[in-house]
Amino acid sequence: LLAATAAYLSALLRLPVRWRVVLTLGAIFLYSLLAGFVPPVIRSAAMGSLAFVAAELGRENDAKRLLTLTGLTMLLINPFLLFNISFQLSFAATAGLVYLTPPLFAALKKYLPQFVAMGFAVTTAAQAATFPITAYYFNAVSVSALIANIIVVPIVEIIIIGGLAAGIVAFLLPIAGRVVFAMDSLLLGGSVMLTKIIAALPAAMVYVPTPDLA
């Protein structure tokens, strides 16, 4: 989310590709630093950075190769990661974004505005890639997640950016920082409420038997 915001702002400012990459990767590094460089964050940051650089350089196909290379490198360092659920979900979601988003977006933009089509494509790609894994481990598939991601994720993006901004502003203007934090808190409460409402919809969660390998 933070990387997408940085990329969007750099595009609005019409910065050269090199500076767009620097700004976006800097945002990813800063957030990873604030998150404590825990393993899931490092994995997500590495894959996100590689995919973004490849896309900015017009080398989307390279993103697929880099994703494979990243996975193989991590497995060479620790082969047992292959059986780690977090590792599987992280790579599956990223693979879904890399492989499934372009064709889905191409199909949807014929009928929807580009912004809406991209939102649907990204959400559907990530969910479709992780559905088999969640079904296998948890015997459940969240249908409401598709709706929740489209509605709630933009709000969460504002919350994350607002929280980081408030933390910076609070150093200079403590009162202004508190105001931003208060507004962020209201948004957070609203997003939790929306999530609960969506989760309570009929057939929000579908329970399935453990699928076989096929």
Side-chain angles (χ1 to χ4, degrees), residues 54-170:
E56 280 295 308
L57 297 177
R59 304 289 293 274
E60 287 85 357
N61 289 334
D62 282 4
K64 300 172 184 177
R65 298 188 184 98
L66 290 171
L67 177 62
T68 304
L69 180 61
T70 303
L72 289 174
T73 302
M74 294 182 69
L75 289 173
L76 284 172
I77 295 173
N78 183 3
F80 290 103
L81 280 176
L82 184 62
F83 306 101
N84 182 282
I85 300 175
S86 175
F87 177 88
Q88 294 172 12
L89 288 171
S90 182
F91 270 88
T94 307
L97 294 176
V98 172
Y99 285 91
L100 301 180
T101 298
L104 283 172
F105 175 64
L108 291 172
K109 70 178 181 180
K110 298 176 182 177
Y111 311 100
L112 298 170
Q114 285 203 5
F115 178 79
V116 178
M118 180 56 74
F120 271 101
V122 168
T123 300
T124 305
Q127 291 294 127
T130 55
F131 273 167
I133 299 174
T134 55
Y136 181 82
Y137 286 108
F138 308 112
N139 296 111
V141 172
S142 175
V143 179
S144 63
L146 288 169
I147 305 171
N149 281 341
I150 294 169
I151 298 175
V152 179
V153 164
I155 301 175
V156 174
E157 181 173 356
I158 297 173
I159 292 171
I160 293 174
I161 304 302
L164 291 172
I168 296 172
V169 171

Side-chain angles (χ1 to χ4, degrees), residues 36 38 87 89 171 195 200 210:
V38 291
F87 177 88
L89 288 171
F171 279 108
T195 303
T210 303

Side-chain angles (χ1 to χ4, degrees), residues 145-213:
L146 288 169
I147 305 171
N149 281 341
I150 294 169
I151 298 175
V152 179
V153 164
I155 301 175
V156 174
E157 181 173 356
I158 297 173
I159 292 171
I160 293 174
I161 304 302
L164 291 172
I168 296 172
V169 171
F171 279 108
L172 305 174
L173 299 169
I175 296 177
R178 290 178 183 176
V179 171
V180 179
F181 273 129
M183 295 174 63
D184 227 24
S185 180
L186 291 174
L187 283 174
L188 181 59
S191 66
V192 171
M193 186 182 302
L194 274 173
T195 303
K196 289 182 178 178
I197 292 172
I198 295 170
L201 293 174
M205 183 73 74
V206 178
Y207 295 95
V208 297
T210 303
D212 57 23
L213 183 59

